Amino acid sequence: MWKNITRFTMRLFQRLSNIAAVLSVMLTVSCTVVDNELGEGMLPDAERMKLTQETITSIACYQGAADSVVTDDWTYPLLGSMVQPMDGLVECSMVAQFSPGFFESTDSMWGDAPVIDSVKLVMNIAKVYGDSSTVMNISIYDMIENLPYNKDSVRLSSYPAERKLGQLIHSFDITPKSTDITEYLPVSYAERFLDTTGRVFLDDTLFHKKFFPLYFKTNSVTNDGALMGIYPGKSYMYIYYHNHNKPTPDTASITMYFDNASDGYNEAFTVIRRNYDYADPLSGVNPDVIDVKEAQSAFFVTSLAGLTGRVVIDKSAIESLKERAEAMGYSQVAVNNASLVFPLKRLSTPSFDFACSELGLYYDYNKQNPTPDYENRLSGSSGFGGTLNRALEHYRMDVTSYVQRLLNGASDRYEVEVTPGSGVESSPSGVQLVEGVALSITYTMLK
């Protein structure tokens, strides 16, 4: 019996010893002191850094205007004229190439002794801006020369189309309420297409060299007015004819397409003329301040090759930032984030709806030379911002790359242009930006 008690006691003592050992290890681990600054003393002074923030408000603003914008990438070329209080009269005309729906290698595609019976023009109205009850007079002209043949070139709103006009083909009145314009053109106009010598119906290059574009323009207005967005993809010219083929004459038609997208055969673009004298003298732009060297407390930005703002960042403020960093022993300034903020005039709901939904930033708008951050936006990056913030009543742009280039000496371009954003410039819109433009910079100083 005593032997069994002794064995039990020894086993109990052994188990208690094991538990004590485990608790000792656990207590030792839980009380270990961790050095959160481990390695801090190994960091050389030359690699130490400091994060700070600064806001620059010494920014001069000027009223500018676009000379020309690219319009051949617009989905809907515009036709019409309209007066807007903010920036006055805008007149939009359209240059449109066309080509047949098929190409033949023969010079006798029309058959024997063909005769044109009628020519029907159909132009699809995809959008209407302004007063849809406006009576518009549309004139169609034959142009006397082809467009410069280069599919990679851009077509601009400043194209001097009216210097290249031939005869007036047709003129008619319309109110832009219907979905299509349908008019019959003179048969004499289409008879030129019967001449197929030179195999001009072989491909679009030969065809365009012989048969030039049409030019569409409308009458001017002094108030209100309207603009029509024409969709080339649903616009056609139908040429109906018959021939004297033996033994069975044909009665047929050929379709000329204005489509400027699916096959890339044709160009269709908008030509724009501006007259800022028609702007409202109380709420619109003063034409006398456009492109002058006198700074303004507010400026307008409008679409359709309209108004732009020129903004000049204070060079001395940027240089002062660098000098202060150097005085504290830092050799580099790395921009973590830089934002350019444009307050806008307090707006009513209709004015908010008319305001540009997005703004862009260019070194030179007419030459389509964007700032580096906006260039990234145009190539698909979404970090630039520039969209209208209705709640805060401002536009905010990420200009980190632009400011970094100023700080490291890679650029000396302190003047930039504020414009409608990509995709905004092809429909009527505009906004007035007011004083209080600010450049906020968050940066790290490195030794």
Side-chain angles (χ1 to χ4, degrees), residues 398-418:
D398 187 324
V399 291
T400 302
S401 296
Y402 167 70
V403 173
Q404 184 65 73
R405 294 188 181 196
L406 295 179
L407 284 167
N408 62 21
S411 172
D412 192 38
R413 305 187 73 165
Y414 288 85
E415 181 176 319
V416 292
E417 230 176 327
V418 188

Side-chain angles (χ1 to χ4, degrees), residues 53-268:
Q53 187 179 44
E54 182 166 335
T55 299
I56 298 174
T57 57
S58 51
I59 299 173
C61 300
Y62 303 84
Q63 183 65 71
D67 292 332
S68 191
V69 299
V70 177
T71 61
D72 63 349
D73 59 353
W74 293 5
T75 303
Y76 307 117
L78 296 177
L79 183 61
S81 60
M82 185 165 61
V83 172
Q84 301 173 107
M86 196 172 288
D87 57 1
L89 174 65
V90 57
E91 297 178 295
C92 295
S93 304
M94 181 177 70
V95 175
Q97 287 180 315
F98 53 87
S99 56
F102 66 92
F103 291 99
E104 294 269 348
S105 59
T106 174
D107 286 343
S108 58
M109 57 172 291
W110 295 88
D112 181 40
V115 176
I116 303 294
D117 296 315
S118 62
V119 184
K120 184 170 72 172
L121 175 72
V122 176
M123 305 297 287
N124 177 254
I125 304 174
K127 288 180 175 292
V128 177
Y129 305 100
D131 182 4
S132 61
S133 65
T134 300
V135 178
M136 305 171 68
N137 178 263
I138 300 177
S139 299
I140 306 174
Y141 291 85
D142 187 21
M143 298 189 71
I144 59 175
E145 65 179 54
N146 190 24
L147 299 174
Y149 192 77
N150 183 350
K151 289 186 176 181
D152 294 327
S153 64
V154 295
R155 311 299 178 184
L156 301 173
S157 61
S158 58
Y159 183 73
E162 296 201 4
R163 301 179 194 170
K164 307 172 187 293
L165 299 187
Q167 66 182 39
L168 174 65
I169 297 172
H170 186 55
S171 180
F172 58 96
D173 290 337
I174 187 176
T175 55
K177 292 181 178 180
S178 64
T179 56
D180 288 322
I181 297 171
T182 302
E183 285 289 319
Y184 282 88
L185 304 184
V187 167
S188 57
Y189 166 71
E191 287 176 342
R192 68 191 67 192
F193 301 121
L194 297 176
D195 180 7
T196 62
T197 56
R199 303 175 73 187
V200 294
F201 282 84
L202 178 63
D203 60 44
D204 61 309
T205 304
L206 294 175
F207 184 87
H208 286 153
K209 285 183 177 180
K210 186 164 186 175
F211 303 119
F212 303 145
L214 294 176
Y215 179 68
F216 298 79
K217 67 172 296 185
T218 63
N219 58 301
S220 186
V221 297
T222 56
N223 63 291
D224 297 330
L227 299 176
M228 298 183 296
I230 304 297
Y231 183 34
K234 293 183 179 180
S235 299
Y236 316 94
M237 186 162 48
Y238 300 101
I239 302 176
Y240 300 95
Y241 70 99
H242 68 274
N243 58 33
H244 295 78
N245 288 355
K246 295 180 181 180
T248 305
D250 293 323
T251 299
S253 67
I254 285 182
T255 303
M256 298 291 181
Y257 292 81
F258 291 93
D259 190 354
N260 64 336
S262 59
D263 297 317
Y265 290 153
N266 304 315
E267 293 274 16

Side-chain angles (χ1 to χ4, degrees), residues 386-403:
T387 55
L388 172 63
N389 188 320
R390 290 183 178 231
L392 298 178
E393 298 184 341
H394 72 208
Y395 297 85
R396 177 181 292 271
M397 304 175 182
D398 187 324
V399 291
T400 302
S401 296
Y402 167 70
V403 173

Side-chain angles (χ1 to χ4, degrees), residues 30 97 209 270 341-342:
S30 64
Q97 287 180 315
K209 285 183 177 180
T270 307
V341 179
F342 293 96

Side-chain angles (χ1 to χ4, degrees), residues 19-41:
I19 292 172
V22 171
L23 287 172
S24 176
V25 171
M26 292 176 63
L27 289 171
T28 302
V29 172
S30 64
C31 293
T32 300
V33 178
V34 177
D35 184 3
N36 292 317
E37 298 182 356
L38 181 63
E40 180 72 14

